[in-house]
Amino acid sequence: MRIVTVVGARPQFIKAAVVSRILRHKASEILIHTGQHYDYNMSDIFFEELDIPKPDYNLGISGGSHGSMTGRMLSAIEELLLREEPDKLLVYGDTNSTMAAAIAAVKLHIPVYHVEAGNRFGTLTSPEEVNRIVTDHVSTCLMPCTESAAAFLAKEGLGEKTQIVGDPMYDAFVYYGSKVTEKDKNSLFSFDGEKVPRPKEFYYLTCHRQENTNTDDKLREILKAMNSLDAPTIYPVHPRNKDRALRVSKDLNNIILTQPVGYLTSISLVNDANKIVTDSGGLQREAFFAEKQCVTVLDFVVWPETMIDNRNQLSSPDKDAILAKLDKKQSINKQYKPFGNGHSGEKIVELLLSE
Ligand code: UD1
Ligand code: UDP
């Protein structure tokens, strides 16, 4: 069987690493990278560290408005699908790359297999929500990570196409987590390229969503909250908001801004942090996997399963609100494992190769 996989952004490289490792033994996979993420430490580093095969195609499409980026991708992916004639298309998550690939494939009658289907935030102002809804509704097979995501799909009449597979991000956390070295732990670099020493105790912040970073005021509030904590915060900054983050944090001396880090370094930061503050869908699950308390600075729930027993709490981008949430105690039920058993990759491949 010939499978075309389309990836483009950091979280998709991680999921593709998990699935490709298994898929390549059983089928022919053609990997298309849209180019949505393109800096070395937003793209290549993941392929190198996670041993992902070099993409067969890199479309070099990034930036611009959502419509422009999606349109350019759609057209380029269509051309490649016509050339490669795959039996199926495999996509992950909710980025513009995901939606563009799904639309291109369905129009050519190529069945779309969607991993991480079903999450709903309840707001079409989120570009990720739009991407995921569209992708789900043109897919042949929907592979949500969790029961709550499957329930949304059932409510939208997609229950019959749905199979819960667990979370490939959990597979990645388990598999690659055991490969973290001292070198990975100490791979923090400033934007001047200087090595940054890692403090013994720290908080881990990631913040890149347009909701929090399109203006100074919200990002500044989040950084002020982190700056007032009892240990420094390590903040690897996404290129989207690098200039703004450097500017608004100028007078804050308890925050260490770094270049984006590779996945192994990120996992080590999750495992060793006191607590985590984020607006990332991936980071909030990784905090949960590592049993670290998390505050998510968004006004909608992305992963309801993590919100139990104060393990992950929503906060507005407001200093006092964030600090109040960080102060609450979490409790951990070790029996509660809503993200599967670390073998979702196998289930995804099984579904992909059935029929
Ligand atoms: C995208 C996804 C988001 C996901 C995030 C993962 C969409 C709509 N959003 O958001 O769901 O959480 O990826 O990180 O697809 N840029 C660089 N270098 C890079 C990558 C991006 O400079 O390597 C710049 C781009 O030129 C662009 C900006 O960052 O101006 C935003 O990038 P984009 O891919 O549009 O969105 P993300 O915020 O990364
Ligand atoms: N991540 C990383 N380096 C960083 C920040 C994040 O490797 O500097 C990893 C982290 O494991 C996270 C994943 O990239 O789960 C995806 O993160 P991102 O926040 O970019 O995307 P989202 O999960 O919000 O779609």
Side-chain angles (χ1 to χ4, degrees):
M1 194 179 289
R2 280 164 69 74
I3 310 287
V4 161
T5 299
V6 175
V7 294
R10 179 164 72 180
Q12 293 161 340
F13 307 144
I14 302 165
K15 291 157 206 166
V18 166
V19 176
S20 281
R21 192 159 40 84
I22 303 162
L23 180 60
R24 297 232 165 188
H25 292 296
K26 306 191 172 186
S28 158
E29 184 184 36
I30 299 138
L31 188 60
I32 301 178
H33 186 331
T34 60
Q36 181 170 348
H37 287 175
Y38 51 90
D39 291 342
Y40 172 79
N41 48 19
M42 294 292 290
S43 178
D44 290 7
I45 193 170
F46 292 88
F47 285 79
E48 290 169 12
E49 280 191 348
L50 309 185
D51 212 11
I52 310 169
K54 201 173 149 37
D56 298 281
Y57 300 96
N58 190 321
L59 305 176
I61 299 171
S62 62
S65 66
H66 284 281
S68 153
M69 189 200 294
T70 309
R72 286 176 287 146
M73 287 175 181
L74 208 165
S75 164
I77 293 168
E78 180 180 61
E79 209 177 303
L80 288 182
L81 292 177
L82 285 167
R83 186 187 307 169
E84 292 291 346
E85 297 183 339
D87 298 298
K88 292 173 181 175
L89 173 87
L90 174 62
V91 285
Y92 300 93
D94 60 5
T95 70
N96 291 343
S97 300
T98 311
M99 183 177 73
I103 295 174
V106 72
K107 293 268 186 167
L108 296 173
H109 305 171
I110 297 166
V112 177
Y113 281 61
H114 186 203
V115 173
E116 207 185 85
N119 301 65
R120 296 289 184 266
F121 321 149
T123 169
L124 291 176
T125 58
S126 156
E128 286 79 18
E129 175 96 330
V130 177
N131 290 342
R132 203 179 320 244
I133 290 174
V134 172
T135 305
D136 284 344
H137 282 262
V138 300
S139 290
T140 297
C141 177
L142 296 158
M143 295 179 269
C145 302
T146 60
E147 289 190 10
S148 66
F152 281 119
L153 294 170
K155 225 162 115 186
E156 292 172 22
L158 300 171
E160 282 188 7
K161 300 177 175 181
T162 298
Q163 296 266 1
I164 300 173
V165 292
D167 187 355
M169 290 295 276
Y170 182 52
D171 294 24
F173 182 83
V174 174
Y175 182 80
Y176 295 106
S178 66
K179 300 189 186 301
V180 173
T181 63
E182 278 306 304
K183 181 167 174 271
D184 299 318
K185 291 188 180 185
N186 290 301
S187 290
L188 295 175
F189 294 92
S190 73
F191 284 100
D192 299 328
E194 300 291 321
K195 197 155 188 166
V196 178
R198 174 165 147 167
K200 229 179 162 131
E201 295 243 334
F202 60 90
Y203 294 84
Y204 184 20
L205 170 72
T206 74
C207 182
H208 71 277
R209 296 262 180 182
Q210 64 178 33
E211 290 90 333
N212 290 322
T213 63
N214 272 6
T215 56
D216 282 7
D217 52 336
K218 291 182 182 165
L219 184 60
R220 170 98 183 145
E221 275 291 306
I222 296 166
L223 294 180
K224 271 166 53 188
M226 304 312 291
N227 196 57
S228 67
L229 292 169
D230 57 355
T233 289
I234 298 176
Y235 176 23
V237 185
H238 187 296
R240 162 193 279 281
N241 55 294
K242 173 188 146 198
D243 293 346
R244 191 183 302 280
L246 288 170
R247 179 160 42 77
V248 302
S249 65
K250 255 198 178 120
D251 58 333
L252 307 177
N253 53 17
N254 205 24
I255 302 184
I256 303 167
L257 274 69
T258 74
Q259 297 181 26
V261 296
Y263 179 70
L264 300 180
T265 301
S266 183
I267 287 298
S268 80
L269 293 174
V270 170
N271 278 322
D272 296 343
N274 289 351
K275 294 182 182 184
I276 290 163
V277 175
T278 192
D279 57 10
S280 154
L283 243 293
Q284 53 184 289
R285 273 124 86 208
E286 286 155 1
F288 183 90
F289 305 153
E291 303 184 350
K292 297 286 171 170
Q293 189 164 19
C294 183
V295 171
T296 296
V297 189
L298 285 174
D299 58 9
F300 48 82
V301 173
V302 184
W303 293 97
E305 287 79 3
T306 63
M307 311 303 292
I308 191 167
D309 299 333
N310 289 338
R311 291 177 66 172
N312 183 15
Q313 302 167 82
L314 292 186
S315 175
S316 55
D318 169 83
K319 179 182 169 196
D320 294 337
I322 294 169
L323 293 176
K325 293 285 166 80
L326 279 172
D327 240 13
K328 296 221 170 128
K329 289 266 166 302
Q330 68 169 350
S331 65
I332 301 206
N333 172 1
K334 289 197 179 281
Q335 313 309 317
Y336 179 59
K337 292 205 172 284
F339 292 97
N341 58 4
H343 292 284
S344 74
E346 283 88 341
K347 285 192 197 151
I348 291 164
V349 170
E350 199 181 307
L351 283 170
L352 201 53
L353 300 187
S354 63
E355 293 150 27

